[in-house]
Amino acid sequence: MGLTVVLLFLAAAVVFAMVTGVRIVPQAKVMVVERLGKFHRVASSGLNILIPFMDSPRAMEMRAGNRFTRNTLVDLREQVMGFETVQVITHDNVNMEVGSVIYYQIVDPGRALYQVENLALAIEQLTMTNLRNVMGGLTLDQTLTSRETVNTKLRMVLDEATEKWGVKVTRVELREIEPPQAIKSAMAKQMTAERERRAEVTKAEGDKAAAILQAEGEKISRILRAEAERDAEIARAEGHKRAVMLEAEGKAEATRLTFEAIHTGRATPEVLALRYLETLQELGKGDNKMFVPYEATTALGSIAMLKEVFANEAPATAPEAPRLPAPRPPSAAALSAQALARNAAANATLPATRRVQPPPSDE
């Protein structure tokens, strides 16, 4: 009976030793092992044997959401910890609420357990304190437009402070920035005014560009219209010039042919007189025209000459007439009449075959 009790006791001790001494650590996690209350080693992932009653794992308090939990396994993966919004005051005395998120990773589980009592709480308080310090050195506009600068400053401060805890801060982000309602209303009005200003500027630039394009279009149109009119005038002038030249050439050719035909055909004075009469008949068509035949000019010249002869002869015994103004020089018509009279006298003395003939017509 006593031997049975001893065997049962030994069996229970072996089972207890197997249950408490054999530990399996998952991947990316470790276990801090203490021997007789003193740090012994860090059990890595896989199968680990602990000596019962001598070796024991050390639990670490971590934050999961909004509560803190204790666990004997230390996670080596990158952790994320979000914080509620905190009240901060900017450099220009504006109260606002700022929420942040921090990403960190435990690189030394031993120091994370023994260098700080509560790692999660220490990181939380350190983040809030440094967030107030960084935001207090910036103005409202800088906090709203320089988030990347704030994130970088916070990460550098937290990384330096948590290095001795065996923690590496990889990233810090400002989750939200909530200014007061009055600031929000002022910002909304400012944004509306800025957008209206941009719209007016854009509209003015559009109108300016449209006016410039319209003026350039009118300028080009006028230039093209002027060039077209100039080309048309040049073309019309060249056409008129060509027509006049062709007409003159035609008349010259017709005159030459007529002259050649007259001289070649040896026209008689009777034929020339007939042509002369036909030409006078053609020229006399129409109103308000008067023509003096060529033969009448000789007679008119003789009459004018006789008038001048009788005017020059004065009676010797006539009483002295009153002194008159000096006679004017003969006019061009009188000279022409005298010349015609002399030609008529010369023709009268020449043979009939050599007398001056009337000018031939162009036909």
Side-chain angles (χ1 to χ4, degrees):
M1 184 66 182
L3 181 60
T4 304
V5 173
V6 172
L7 292 175
L8 290 175
F9 180 77
L10 291 176
V14 171
V15 171
F16 178 78
M18 292 180 62
V19 171
T20 58
V22 178
R23 294 294 181 92
I24 297 176
V25 180
Q27 181 68 31
K29 293 184 178 182
V30 295
M31 181 188 300
V32 178
V33 179
E34 293 181 347
R35 177 168 291 183
L36 299 177
K38 184 180 179 180
F39 174 75
H40 176 59
R41 65 186 177 92
V42 176
S44 60
S45 302
L47 180 63
N48 293 274
I49 305 298
L50 304 181
I51 299 175
F53 306 108
M54 295 183 62
D55 296 339
S56 62
R58 175 68 181 268
M60 177 179 289
E61 190 170 2
M62 301 296 295
R63 180 174 177 174
N66 294 326
R67 59 189 181 88
F68 294 94
T69 60
R70 296 181 63 86
N71 194 348
T72 57
L73 298 177
V74 179
D75 198 338
L76 298 181
R77 295 173 297 178
E78 188 172 0
Q79 304 293 319
V80 57
M81 186 182 300
F83 306 108
E84 298 294 334
T85 58
V86 294
Q87 290 286 339
V88 298
I89 302 177
T90 62
H91 184 70
D92 49 357
N93 297 324
V94 177
N95 293 324
M96 61 174 56
E97 295 181 355
V98 180
S100 59
V101 178
I102 182 174
Y103 297 84
Y104 68 95
Q105 184 179 7
I106 299 175
V107 295
D108 192 343
R111 288 192 294 174
L113 272 171
Y114 298 106
Q115 293 294 330
V116 61
E117 180 182 1
N118 192 327
L119 180 63
L121 182 61
I123 293 176
E124 179 182 358
Q125 296 300 321
L126 183 64
T127 302
M128 291 183 179
T129 304
N130 286 278
L131 180 61
R132 289 190 177 97
N133 293 335
V134 173
M135 298 294 286
L138 301 175
T139 61
L140 176 63
D141 294 337
Q142 290 175 343
T143 57
L144 296 176
T145 59
S146 304
R147 289 196 176 192
E148 188 64 28
T149 303
V150 177
N151 297 339
T152 304
K153 288 183 178 181
L154 277 175
R155 186 188 62 79
M156 293 176 62
V157 173
L158 293 177
D159 189 30
E160 183 180 357
T162 57
E163 184 179 1
K164 64 178 180 179
W165 299 341
V167 176
K168 175 69 176 177
V169 177
T170 59
R171 192 171 183 179
V172 179
E173 294 287 343
L174 296 181
R175 185 179 58 194
E176 57 184 348
I177 299 177
E178 290 291 335
Q181 187 63 35
I183 301 296
K184 287 184 180 180
S185 301
M187 292 172 61
K189 293 179 180 178
Q190 181 182 3
M191 181 184 64
T192 303
E194 181 66 19
R195 292 185 180 276
E196 291 178 354
R197 184 187 67 83
R198 291 181 181 178
E200 292 294 334
V201 170
T202 304
K203 183 177 181 300
E205 291 179 353
D207 295 340
K208 175 183 176 182
I212 291 174
L213 292 177
Q214 184 177 1
E216 290 180 352
E218 293 178 357
K219 174 183 176 182
I220 295 174
S221 176
R222 291 180 180 179
I223 291 174
L224 294 177
R225 191 179 300 112
E227 291 179 353
E229 293 177 356
R230 181 196 64 188
D231 294 341
E233 291 293 336
I234 292 174
R236 282 194 293 267
E238 290 180 352
H240 181 68
K241 173 184 175 182
R242 184 63 178 169
V244 171
M245 291 176 62
L246 292 176
E247 183 179 359
E249 290 177 358
K251 290 182 178 179
E253 184 67 18
T255 303
R256 185 182 62 81
L257 293 176
T258 303
F259 183 76
E260 289 180 356
I262 292 172
H263 285 275
T264 303
R266 297 183 181 275
T268 61
E270 290 78 7
V271 175
L272 295 177
L274 181 60
R275 293 292 298 167
Y276 176 64
L277 294 177
E278 292 177 354
T279 303
L280 287 179
Q281 184 180 2
E282 292 293 331
L283 293 175
K285 291 180 179 180
D287 299 334
N288 299 328
K289 293 183 180 179
M290 182 180 68
F291 292 94
V292 179
Y294 181 74
E295 291 80 1
T297 58
T298 303
L300 292 175
S302 301
I303 295 171
M305 186 175 179
L306 293 174
K307 181 180 179 181
E308 290 181 0
V309 170
F310 286 111
N312 290 332
E313 292 180 358
T317 59
E320 185 177 354
R323 190 180 299 271
L324 297 176
R328 296 180 180 178
S331 61
L335 294 176
S336 300
Q338 294 175 7
L340 291 175
R342 287 194 294 269
N343 290 335
N347 289 332
T349 58
L350 292 175
T353 57
R354 297 184 61 184
R355 291 180 181 176
V356 178
Q357 301 294 332
S361 63
D362 293 340
E363 297 181 0

